[in-house]
Amino acid sequence: MENHAFQNHMRKSSHDKHRPAFHFLPEKNWMNDPNGLIQWKGQYHLFYQYNPNGPFHGTIHWGHAVSKDLIYWQDLPIALTPTPGEPDEEGCWSGCCVNQDGTPIIVYTGVHPQVVCLATGSDDLVNWQKYPGNPVIPAPPEELGGRTEGQFRDPFLWNENGSWYMVIGSKIEGQGGIVLRYRSDDLRQWEYLGILMQGDINQTKPFWTGSIWECPNFFKLNEQYVLFFSVQSEPSNLIYPVYYTGNYDGKQFIPTCQDILVHGNSFYAPQAMHSEDGRVLMLGWLQESRRPNAHLEAGWAGVMSLPLALSMLPNGKLQIEPVEELKSLRREHRHYENVALTQGFPGLPGDLRGECLEIEAVLEPGPLAEFGLKLLVSPDNQEQTCIVYNCTQESLIIELNESSLSTVVDRDMHKAPVSLETDGSLRLHIFLDRSVIEVFANQHTCLAARVYPTRPDSLGLDLFSRSGETKLKSLDIWNMGSIWD
Ligand code: DQQ
């Protein structure tokens, strides 16, 4: 074990077979959105939606953890607690953290009704004082009348030419989600500037954008701008996060490219931050996909995604990659190359097993090939999770129908369009962390899923081919260390 000053010695690896070992989550209870991501005096601070009263969404506080390297986290005291009789008495919902001339400021959603509140932090970001003048924005803009139905949340701020700007999520009844824009000189007095972007609930292509937009983020990346937000369909169906890239002249945002940020029904409400070394980093919430009773039995629910780095591809799409720092968790390594995958492939040599793995595969599919990797396989194949590429459909699929014998887990497949690289190859980068699977394909398409195999021996890993012929050019597999040992 390496000597990490910020390792949390209070925490131990868990015996709960579904509890991730190298993803951040609180010791117990409920967690959802990442909030207030900021690098402060060299350390990364992660705040998150947290219910200290159990593994269910309710009495939402801001949990807090700090890290030197985005990998090992130390728990810090709860940062924000709802105050009875104040505008956040029913919850301190999502928001962000900014540096105002050396003072840390949290701008968050007070509930209920949904309003914008502010808190000032101590220099170590541990103690927070709520602004006595809260709320700083008491209601959605009057211009919109009641058409937002009070949905008004998740402020995200940036500074531009000495002014503070905010985007915030909302909706227009019967029409779709909206992102509103505000401006301020001092973070306390805000001027409404109008709608930055508006969705159409009836438009389904290239993807449906639901009825409310939550957790908007807006920032510059290379010479372009990125707007992302999470799409909800009421009453509370969390769909997926989507992004738009394009041009912004300080007033209007003209998107030129759009896509789903992470596919599957697990990754939601991401937040981005600029790091001191010039990267744009992003974390998202990985929801559970088993019944609430299972959360109560486990005592925890919700996991943070791996830290991801965003960059702009020449075609305007986002490149999304796990951060380099994760390499520090690599342990035993196995390497294979030049293996022909055809139907009846007998399997890779060696006893390949593991529930905490990083896998990098480079494959060259032939015409009409369908092939993939299977994870968490029981010896008799009763349980297995397949990651399949289908050349005809140009799709990558995580098949969950055999992932668990349990009847209380979701087993719908997750599918994303993925075309091969110009040289005909498919590059898969996969992280398996017990119940978490994150897949990065050709560096621009991500899928995430949650899996809950029941059998203790559902640990196998192999490759397979269903049709055609595929060349496995290389395969690297690492066992991953735990961040809690
Ligand atoms: N989660 C928060 C809201 C946000 C939603 C409440 C997104 O502020 O809109 O916990 O998951």
Side-chain angles (χ1 to χ4, degrees), residues 290-311:
R290 48 183 178 170
R291 306 275 155 78
N293 266 353
H295 306 167
L296 292 177
E297 271 170 39
W300 61 274
V303 184
M304 220 34 92
S305 73
L306 291 178
L308 306 173
L310 300 181
S311 33

Side-chain angles (χ1 to χ4, degrees), residues 32-33 49 57 60 93-94 109 153-154 214-215 268-269 285:
N32 57 299
D33 317 351
Q49 296 280 282
H57 191 268
I60 290 294
W93 283 16
S94 288
T109 311
R153 55 183 178 268
D154 313 331
E214 306 185 293
C215 302
Y268 198 73
W285 163 41

Side-chain angles (χ1 to χ4, degrees), residues 90 105 156 220 257 312 452 457:
E90 286 181 38
I105 304 279
F156 177 88
K220 196 172 180 186
C257 192
M312 187 72 70
Y452 308 93
D457 57 357

Side-chain angles (χ1 to χ4, degrees), residues 60-82:
I60 290 294
H61 294 52
W62 274 40
H64 187 188
V66 66
S67 172
K68 280 190 169 167
D69 58 5
L70 296 164
I71 307 297
Y72 293 90
W73 296 91
Q74 181 192 18
D75 292 313
L76 290 177
I78 283 176
L80 295 178
T81 299

Side-chain angles (χ1 to χ4, degrees), residues 34-226:
N35 292 149
L37 295 181
I38 193 165
Q39 197 172 8
W40 189 267
K41 304 204 163 154
Q43 294 171 15
Y44 297 98
H45 287 260
L46 162 65
F47 301 88
Y48 53 90
Q49 296 280 282
Y50 178 60
N51 180 8
N53 297 315
F56 50 89
H57 191 268
T59 53
I60 290 294
H61 294 52
W62 274 40
H64 187 188
V66 66
S67 172
K68 280 190 169 167
D69 58 5
L70 296 164
I71 307 297
Y72 293 90
W73 296 91
Q74 181 192 18
D75 292 313
L76 290 177
I78 283 176
L80 295 178
T81 299
T83 306
E86 296 292 325
D88 63 5
E89 74 174 332
E90 286 181 38
C92 301
W93 283 16
S94 288
C96 62
C97 182
V98 293
N99 180 342
Q100 186 188 33
D101 304 323
T103 301
I105 304 279
I106 283 176
V107 181
Y108 66 103
T109 311
V111 183
H112 199 247
Q114 295 173 16
V115 295
V116 179
C117 293
L118 184 146
T120 303
S122 55
D123 198 42
D124 55 5
L125 274 61
V126 169
N127 297 303
W128 294 87
Q129 295 295 327
K130 292 181 189 170
Y131 176 54
N134 277 339
V136 292
I137 307 181
E142 267 176 31
E143 287 93 312
L144 299 177
R147 292 187 300 153
T148 60
E149 296 187 315
Q151 308 287 344
F152 184 60
R153 55 183 178 268
D154 313 331
F156 177 88
L157 272 60
W158 71 99
N159 196 290
E160 199 179 296
N161 305 323
S163 289
W164 290 102
Y165 290 88
M166 173 196 292
V167 282
I168 188 161
S170 185
K171 66 173 277 193
I172 296 201
E173 188 195 355
Q175 290 186 20
I178 49 174
V179 173
L180 306 173
R181 202 167 63 103
Y182 285 79
R183 197 197 76 83
S184 171
D185 289 324
D186 63 358
L187 299 174
R188 274 94 179 151
Q189 305 278 335
W190 289 93
E191 174 197 0
Y192 174 55
L193 297 178
I195 295 175
L196 182 69
M197 191 159 160
Q198 176 162 4
D200 177 354
I201 199 170
N202 298 313
Q203 188 184 316
T204 53
K205 290 203 169 31
F207 41 75
W208 188 51
T209 58
S211 58
I212 304 185
W213 292 353
E214 306 185 293
C215 302
N217 281 226
F218 189 59
F219 53 90
K220 196 172 180 186
L221 187 60
N222 301 350
E223 288 313 304
Q224 290 201 285
Y225 280 80
V226 180

